[in-house]
Amino acid sequence: MKRYQFHLSYNGTNFCGWQKQPNANTVQTEIENAIFKIYSETEIPVVGCGRTDTGVHAKHYVLHVDLPHVEDLQKLKFKLNRILPKSISIQEIIETSSEFHARFDATQRTYRYFISSEKDPFQIDTVVHFPSSLNLQVMNEAAQLLVGKQDFTSFSKLHTDVNNNICEVFAANWVENGKGSIYFEISANRFLRNMVRAIVGTLLDVGTGKLKKEDLISILNQKDRGAASLSVPAHGLFLWEIKY
Amino acid sequence: MKRYQFHLSYNGTNFCGWQKQPNANTVQTEIENAIFKIYSETEIPVVGCGRTDTGVHAKHYVLHVDLPHVEDLQKLKFKLNRILPKSISIQEIIETSSEFHARFDATQRTYRYFISSEKDPFQIDTVVHFPSSLNLQVMNEAAQLLVGKQDFTSFSKLHTDVNNNICEVFAANWVENGKGSIYFEISANRFLRNMVRAIVGTLLDVGTGKLKKEDLISILNQKDRGAASLSVPAHGLFLWEIKY
């Protein structure tokens, strides 16, 4: 057996997230089913770089899988892409070290969240329409307060199974994307469940004036999910890049 | 009453085209219903710049409509966009001459057809996946044979109600769009029903080597829809621009 990295992207609209679950359509299920068809109906598990929630997309997702030696990686990619639905596309398959772990070896994850003040009929599933006017400068100042090693309990879904809620945020910025469209990009060593969507909801409240940028500090200090604003919808969120 | 131009775009995926029909969801029906709600339930017809088929999109569509004097055009646009589904977006409303006719005054219409050799999960409804390799140069040479004033009967859906099938094609080009993605752009004074999709199907046959570029001349001369290749799917096609 050899270990391979798959680099892929998926549109999360019709999936209950990445992770395999009984009676639910997930990205992991689709990929394992496609491998099952190609490898003479042998069940081969894949290990993803992380979970994504229902409706969240991935521009760049990495998994690892152990397979019998593959002669032609291009051909395997082509065959899998033919079996997989249109909403999942494998961009590249590469051989990797037998030690490589898609989840534990990731050193940096980057998410982007897209919103637009204009209706865009061609991005219904990937951009959130937000017609209120926003103070981008103050949103960016508030975002800087998130950078560093901090406890993100206030931005985490309750009752998750992680031991601690410390994350190191490397960068957090709002970027103008042309024609009333902006995105929020955040990079960290790890993310808690629902964290980006709770952060974006809170920063939008700063942008409309409901909150002051200094409120971010008190929200972080309270270590209570009730302190932050509501989460924004899933469909504007992309797992954008994974670094190892 | 004053006459107004609406400039809009729509995602045609879930519409039976532009034109109002009984018991079918069309773009015209949605717009007339939205106007009906705003104007105290008065039925006000709109006149579009042309028909689009089921599943075809419009990046730029123009209609005219006669309304009681509108004080605030921005506000009317905002109200209509709130009522209209996500798949229809009005970009601009402007007052125009009472003589202006969205259909008869158009001097140039441009369509684009998008295909890609790579699967793109974020453009499922707007780009056609076509994995075969294509000779873009010969496709472009063939496309030049379409330019000029010619009879396009061979690229027209049979039994349409038009008097003649002469169209003047101003330009027809294949354009590289990055990452395995290309589009075909064609401008003409008018288009026959299904014409662009039949042309694209025929040019793709040239690109894969099934047809020679010179075959375009004989196909045009035969004036028979059976002479050209099959039509390509609707979802790659956009009405891209209208000029007056």
Side-chain angles (χ1 to χ4, degrees), chain A residues 109-218:
Chain A
R109 293 168 165 85
T110 300
Y111 281 87
R112 283 192 187 178
Y113 195 90
F114 290 84
I115 67 175
S116 176
S117 60
E118 300 288 317
K119 275 173 92 174
D120 185 342
F122 307 111
Q123 314 242 32
I124 296 171
D125 292 338
T126 52
V127 175
V128 171
H129 182 223
F130 192 85
S132 311
S133 80
L134 292 167
N135 184 334
L136 211 61
Q137 196 191 323
V138 71
M139 285 158 76
N140 256 325
E141 288 164 10
Q144 298 329 302
L145 302 172
L146 301 169
V147 176
K149 216 169 187 168
Q150 302 194 65
D151 187 316
F152 281 88
T153 305
S154 295
F155 296 99
S156 162
K157 202 147 188 162
L158 301 170
H159 310 301
T160 54
D161 55 358
V162 295
N163 297 321
N164 79 73
N165 290 335
I166 309 286
C167 305
E168 186 175 4
V169 172
F170 304 123
N173 295 289
W174 288 90
V175 180
E176 288 187 77
N177 203 19
K179 274 202 165 186
S181 162
I182 58 175
Y183 63 84
F184 177 62
E185 183 173 272
I186 183 165
S187 300
N189 65 334
R190 69 196 277 254
F191 286 90
L192 309 175
R193 185 125 191 252
N194 213 247
M195 176 170 149
V196 183
R197 289 160 62 194
I199 287 174
V200 171
T202 307
L203 292 176
L204 288 176
D205 277 350
V206 172
T208 56
K210 264 190 229 167
L211 292 175
K212 293 199 208 82
K213 68 173 175 180
E214 297 77 16
D215 293 336
L216 263 285
I217 299 169
S218 110

Side-chain angles (χ1 to χ4, degrees), chain A residues 56-92:
Chain A
V56 173
H57 316 292
K59 176 81 175 173
H60 180 211
Y61 191 94
V62 180
L63 64 84
H64 78 253
V65 59
D66 294 326
L67 297 173
H69 174 69
V70 180
E71 274 296 324
D72 187 338
L73 292 171
Q74 273 300 109
K75 197 171 160 189
L76 176 61
K77 174 188 133 175
F78 186 81
K79 280 163 98 177
L80 286 167
N81 274 332
R82 279 191 68 137
I83 297 171
L84 288 166
K86 288 180 176 184
S87 48
I88 302 176
S89 171
I90 299 173
Q91 262 99 49
E92 207 181 6

